[in-house]
Amino acid sequence: MKNRSCILLAGAVAARRIREEGLHQGQFSTLVGASGGPKWLVISQLDRVLMGAFFKDRREPIATLGSSIGSFRNMCYAMEEPLAALERLEYGYIHQSYGTARPSPAEITAAGETILQEVLGENGAREVVENPLWQSHFVTVRGRGPLASEKRALLAPALFTSALANAFSRHSLKAFWERVVFHSQAQPTVEFGNLSTVNSPLNRENVCAAVLASGSIPLVMAGVRNPVGAPLGNYRDGGITDYHFDLRFNHPRGLVLYPHFFPFMVPGWFDKGLSWRRVRGDAMASTLLIAPSPNFVEKLPFGKIPDRNDFYKLSPEERVNYWKKVVEMSRQVADDFFEMWQTGQAAEHLIEVGSDDLPHKLQQGGAA
């Protein structure tokens, strides 16, 4: 079997359907995009294939759900020229620059807003809000008490406290954070049954603010205060509650497609170091996850996927060249997916995950 640059992980329901029907876009009712900052660059070429080929003739509505950079990417899917929008996002993201090695949260926030405004252009916000097929859901959070503050002396210890409480129970997050989901339809088509959640409609005036807030990492970026038409508050990174999502949300009937930079999922931001919190196979029942294989990642420059530490460890020129090289190399991930889809061989390459063996099979994913 060819040593693929991408792997396909499927829950039981998704695996059965793909084996019986082959792989086609009509099977999917929901598209998920995870948090992860620069990590998305390793799947930007995969997004191009999904936008430009796999979903090209889409006629039925599809819900998109994203947090942080997943919201940035999914916003592009909902625009009238998604490939051009993605190109602008990729260029702006890679070439962001700052006057100092340690820019302030306000500087980083301003840069993020500029990138989004350039991606959206004059009509992008209207296109996202009015798109009848691509139904956007951008996840943000509102901090309670000191977590709504921009003062480091208040925010930092409050973050630590919420992280400590989360280590004991993920349910404790509702005492510190409220999830706010901005949705483009009159009513959300994706709904959460866990934690504290408020749904707020998107409008032309708040699309940029909602997406920016969805990626506003506390202490790294400033929060976004009072988006137009939303409940008052200071809005921050949706990855705090939904880093990679735990997949236990209600979505339209059909399968979930999850283009992801990792072959595993961490529910929330504070769960990154908690291996027992990894999303288990039963939650993936209706999900097909597409990710770069471990073998492919080993061949990347520095043997890793880009991350935020690149801003601090590399010079601006080194970082830009590294990130551009990753995008170039990741074309192989996209090409492998395209080939498996077009030749009808996707079923042969599926790694089916069950309720108990997901972590083990993910570790073996590079053999696919």
Side-chain angles (χ1 to χ4, degrees):
M1 182 182 294
K2 178 181 176 181
N3 189 20
R4 295 284 182 180
S5 293
C6 82
I7 55 177
L8 304 178
L9 302 170
V13 174
R16 183 180 68 250
R17 287 198 58 181
I18 292 168
R19 287 174 180 141
E20 291 175 354
E21 307 168 11
L23 176 64
H24 61 90
Q25 57 94 1
Q27 295 165 317
F28 299 95
S29 66
T30 308
L31 180 76
V32 175
S35 299
K39 299 179 183 70
W40 81 280
L41 295 170
V42 80
I43 57 171
S44 66
Q45 296 282 2
L46 179 59
D47 277 329
R48 286 173 169 83
V49 168
L50 294 175
M51 291 176 180
F54 190 71
F55 286 118
K56 182 178 180 180
D57 299 319
R58 184 78 184 189
R59 295 292 180 267
E60 295 297 321
I62 182 169
T64 68
L65 176 66
S67 62
S68 196
I69 196 62
S71 292
F72 283 55
R73 293 167 48 227
N74 286 353
M75 180 188 75
C76 297
Y77 276 85
M79 294 178 64
E80 290 181 3
E81 297 183 0
L83 289 170
L86 187 72
E87 291 278 356
R88 295 194 296 274
L89 174 60
E90 183 183 280
Y91 182 88
Y93 197 92
I94 289 177
H95 291 90
Q96 59 184 298
S97 61
Y98 304 94
T100 64
R102 295 279 178 175
S104 69
E107 289 176 290
I108 299 174
T109 301
E113 185 173 13
T114 296
I115 291 170
L116 285 173
Q117 289 174 342
E118 291 177 350
V119 175
L120 287 166
E122 183 178 351
N123 297 312
R126 176 189 58 78
E127 294 167 8
V128 171
V129 171
E130 297 179 1
N131 194 317
L133 295 182
W134 292 91
Q135 302 176 348
S136 301
H137 300 74
F138 304 133
V139 178
T140 69
V141 295
R142 288 193 301 174
R144 302 185 189 277
L147 289 168
S149 175
E150 294 296 342
K151 295 181 179 179
R152 190 179 187 90
L154 294 175
L155 180 57
L159 278 170
F160 176 78
T161 302
S162 64
L164 186 62
N166 174 79
F168 288 97
S169 172
R170 179 163 154 79
H171 296 293
S172 69
L173 286 175
K174 62 186 178 182
F176 301 90
W177 306 95
E178 180 177 58
R179 178 196 287 123
V180 182
V181 182
F182 288 85
H183 54 92
S184 62
Q185 303 300 298
Q187 297 295 325
T189 52
V190 173
E191 294 187 284
F192 292 88
N194 66 344
L195 305 181
S196 176
T197 305
V198 170
N199 296 308
S200 186
L202 281 168
N203 56 61
R204 298 183 190 184
E205 288 72 36
N206 70 18
V207 168
C208 184
V211 176
L212 180 63
S214 186
S216 294
I217 305 168
L219 300 178
V220 176
M221 298 174 67
V224 176
R225 291 192 178 276
N226 307 330
V228 175
L232 298 179
N234 198 13
Y235 288 71
R236 302 190 188 275
D237 196 326
I240 291 172
T241 54
D242 301 283
Y243 190 58
H244 298 162
F245 297 93
D246 64 10
L247 299 184
R248 299 182 188 277
F249 49 80
N250 296 320
H251 59 86
R253 185 175 181 179
L255 302 183
V256 175
L257 184 64
Y258 197 150
H260 194 23
F261 25 83
F262 290 146
F264 60 84
M265 290 154 291
V266 176
W269 192 39
F270 299 124
D271 299 321
K272 289 186 286 185
L274 310 179
S275 59
W276 62 90
R277 289 275 174 87
R278 296 282 174 90
V279 177
R280 314 303 272 194
D282 57 347
M284 278 190 68
S286 298
T287 299
L288 174 67
L289 184 148
I290 313 167
S293 72
N295 288 339
F296 170 79
V297 174
E298 289 176 0
K299 298 174 184 177
L300 293 174
F302 307 110
K304 71 173 189 68
I305 293 170
D307 58 57
R308 284 195 299 113
N309 289 327
D310 298 334
F311 282 105
Y312 312 118
K313 294 182 177 180
L314 302 174
S315 70
E317 182 179 4
E318 290 172 329
R319 177 187 59 79
V320 168
N321 289 337
Y322 163 41
W323 286 7
K324 289 169 69 174
K325 183 62 176 179
V326 168
V327 170
E328 176 187 334
M329 292 180 65
S330 67
R331 181 69 208 182
Q332 189 59 54
V333 176
D335 287 347
D336 276 3
F337 171 75
F338 183 85
E339 180 182 340
M340 286 187 281
W341 164 48
Q342 286 288 286
T343 60
Q345 296 178 350
E348 301 173 23
H349 294 274
L350 286 179
I351 301 174
E352 183 175 347
V353 291
S355 59
D356 299 320
D357 58 351
L358 178 59
H360 173 71
K361 283 194 173 181
L362 291 180
Q363 292 170 7
Q364 303 302 314

